[in-house]
Amino acid sequence: MLQLQLINTVRKLAKYLGSESPRLYKFTDPVLVYSLTQDPEQVLLEDALGLWLQLVETAPKLTPHFAELLKCAPGLLQYGSETLKSCLLIIESSILLGPATIISNYGDGIISACSTLYPDIVGEAKVLIDNIVLTIIKTVPRSSWPDMTPILKLIISDLNEFSDYSKILTMSLSIICYVIIIDMPYFHQLMSSFNNPKLYSNLFEVWLHKIDSFYRIEHFKLSLIALLMFLPYQPEMVRAFFKDIMAVVEKSVTKCTDVDSDCRRYDCLLKKSDEDENDVLLEGESEDYKRRQILRKADVISKIDIVTFVKSKFGELQGLFNQEEFAKLTAGIDEDVYHKLSTLDLA
């Protein structure tokens, strides 16, 4: 009991110290090593994981000891739900703390452990694994990714089963969108490896018809960028889903843009990003929060003007068809959707 009280007291102290928490490492390092290498059923484990997560979140930089400790994480993923949740959060925060080091040394093991777990878990645990995958994709260059094929194939398969859990659906679609944007040939290779000729059309069904599952403007913008980058490579899908595609374009542009006092349409997220440049992080925000904010500002969706992008890509779509065929396709668009697209000079 005294050991538990001591660990929880130190965890609270680490949170209070924030970026000064490294002053505790001489004490916490042996405590974590002891607690994490004992019988996983022992009572210290959950509280030790809470301390570990707090120290990673408040750490200003990755230390060799934190990197070494991460060897324990994959082995702990097989235990109870709270232990699993804590371990997944620790892995994600550790990647944010030192992406190049963590991914180069432990990336393959992390992806292997997550791939083993993925088919048998549901709900929040699956979202946390998706977060880890997304964090890897966003924090290091494509050339530094571990072998993501096993987990990405599971995510695509899971998505193809029309998950009704909106957060999983949103996260899974976000991962697919980033893969399309970053490495289109690799995405085609992934899809081809299933040997399922209906996979593309099934993916489009989910992508286009489940868009209402999105709960943030960023998701609409990311999805629209990836969709319009992908469509020129799939003219048969454009023909089959043109009406639905245009409805999604209209809905996404409406979500992501607004009109200024001069009746000019602008990208809401770009304007917000410009305003955020002047933001000062509040005193007391964790180092982990600051790292997430920096990553958000560096995201591709913060760099692309969606109005200009949509107009450009719509021109590419027109180029896939002769004038007569394209006229027939646009004639099938819902009148309300057609009118709204016309305000952007897209149709």
Side-chain angles (χ1 to χ4, degrees):
M1 184 64 71
L2 182 60
Q3 288 174 317
L4 288 176
Q5 290 177 342
L6 185 60
I7 288 175
N8 284 318
T9 299
V10 175
R11 179 174 58 80
K12 292 175 183 176
L13 182 57
K15 183 176 182 179
Y16 173 78
L17 288 172
S19 61
E20 295 295 314
S21 62
R23 291 159 57 183
L24 300 172
Y25 290 174
K26 286 185 179 179
F27 174 75
T28 59
D29 285 358
V31 168
L32 288 176
V33 170
Y34 173 80
S35 302
L36 297 172
T37 55
Q38 299 299 303
D39 182 342
E41 299 300 323
Q42 52 95 16
V43 293
L44 293 180
L45 182 59
E46 264 185 42
D47 294 272
L49 289 173
L51 173 60
W52 185 5
L53 177 60
Q54 187 64 68
L55 289 169
V56 172
E57 288 181 341
T58 55
K61 64 179 181 179
L62 181 69
T63 64
H65 186 70
F66 274 142
E68 189 71 15
L69 265 182
L70 206 61
K71 287 181 179 178
C72 301
L76 295 171
L77 292 175
Q78 59 186 297
Y79 299 110
S81 58
E82 284 307 308
T83 300
L84 173 61
K85 177 183 174 181
S86 296
C87 284
L88 293 173
L89 289 170
I90 289 165
I91 291 170
E92 183 194 359
S93 289
S94 297
I95 294 169
L96 284 167
L97 180 60
T101 299
I102 297 299
I103 292 170
S104 64
N105 291 325
Y106 305 110
D108 288 332
I110 290 170
I111 292 299
S112 176
C114 289
S115 299
T116 300
L117 281 170
Y118 202 81
D120 301 319
I121 57 176
V122 294
E124 187 180 7
K126 189 160 281 192
V127 171
L128 291 174
I129 288 182
D130 282 350
N131 273 331
I132 289 172
V133 174
L134 201 52
T135 302
I136 291 174
I137 287 172
K138 293 170 70 173
T139 53
V140 294
R142 171 67 181 94
S143 58
S144 299
W145 289 5
D147 180 11
M148 304 285 275
T149 301
I151 191 68
L152 290 176
K153 289 187 70 171
L154 290 169
I155 288 169
I156 291 170
S157 297
D158 199 55
L159 180 71
N160 202 40
E161 292 176 4
F162 296 84
S163 170
D164 289 325
Y165 190 79
S166 62
K167 199 162 187 179
I168 293 176
L169 184 65
T170 299
M171 290 299 300
S172 298
L173 272 174
S174 295
I175 290 166
I176 290 170
C177 288
Y178 276 108
V179 173
I180 288 172
I181 292 168
I182 294 169
D183 192 346
M184 183 85 71
Y186 175 56
F187 177 73
H188 285 303
Q189 180 184 329
L190 273 174
M191 296 291 282
S192 298
S193 68
F194 284 92
N195 293 316
N196 180 356
K198 294 183 178 180
L199 190 61
Y200 276 116
S201 60
N202 291 342
L203 173 61
F204 265 76
E205 288 277 358
V206 177
W207 198 345
L208 298 173
H209 297 153
K210 295 280 187 172
I211 194 170
D212 288 331
S213 298
F214 293 169
Y215 50 92
R216 291 173 56 190
I217 294 176
E218 290 87 347
H219 297 144
F220 283 95
K221 183 173 179 180
L222 172 67
S223 174
L224 184 56
I225 292 169
L227 182 66
L228 292 179
M229 286 181 68
F230 181 63
L231 288 176
Y233 295 89
Q234 295 289 325
E236 68 281 4
M237 292 294 105
V238 178
R239 289 188 181 91
F241 294 98
F242 191 80
K243 177 181 176 180
D244 294 326
I245 290 167
M246 291 301 103
V248 165
V249 169
E250 181 276 317
K251 176 175 284 191
S252 299
V253 170
T254 300
K255 291 279 187 181
C256 300
T257 65
D258 206 343
V259 178
D260 64 18
S261 57
D262 296 322
C263 297
R264 290 177 300 192
R265 191 166 290 275
Y266 64 88
D267 186 320
C268 296
L269 287 178
L270 282 191
K271 183 176 181 181
K272 183 176 185 300
S273 180
D274 290 341
E275 293 169 350
D276 288 347
E277 290 297 323
N278 300 318
D279 283 356
V280 177
L281 289 172
L282 296 175
E283 186 177 349
E285 296 289 6
S286 72
E287 296 298 305
D288 184 77
Y289 175 82
K290 294 174 186 177
R291 288 187 280 271
R292 292 176 190 275
Q293 289 300 97
I294 291 169
L295 186 63
R296 180 182 66 81
K297 290 178 182 179
D299 197 291
V300 62
I301 62 174
S302 299
K303 308 297 181 185
I304 294 176
D305 184 328
I306 199 65
V307 176
T308 304
F309 183 82
V310 170
K311 288 182 179 180
S312 169
K313 289 298 177 181
F314 196 84
E316 286 187 34
L317 287 183
Q318 284 182 289
L320 296 176
F321 311 100
N322 60 45
Q323 189 173 355
E324 183 180 352
E325 184 176 12
F326 192 76
K328 288 181 179 178
L329 289 172
T330 54
I333 301 174
D334 290 342
E335 186 175 342
D336 183 54
V337 171
Y338 185 90
H339 173 72
K340 289 177 180 178
L341 288 172
S342 296
T343 64
L344 288 171
D345 298 323
L346 298 180

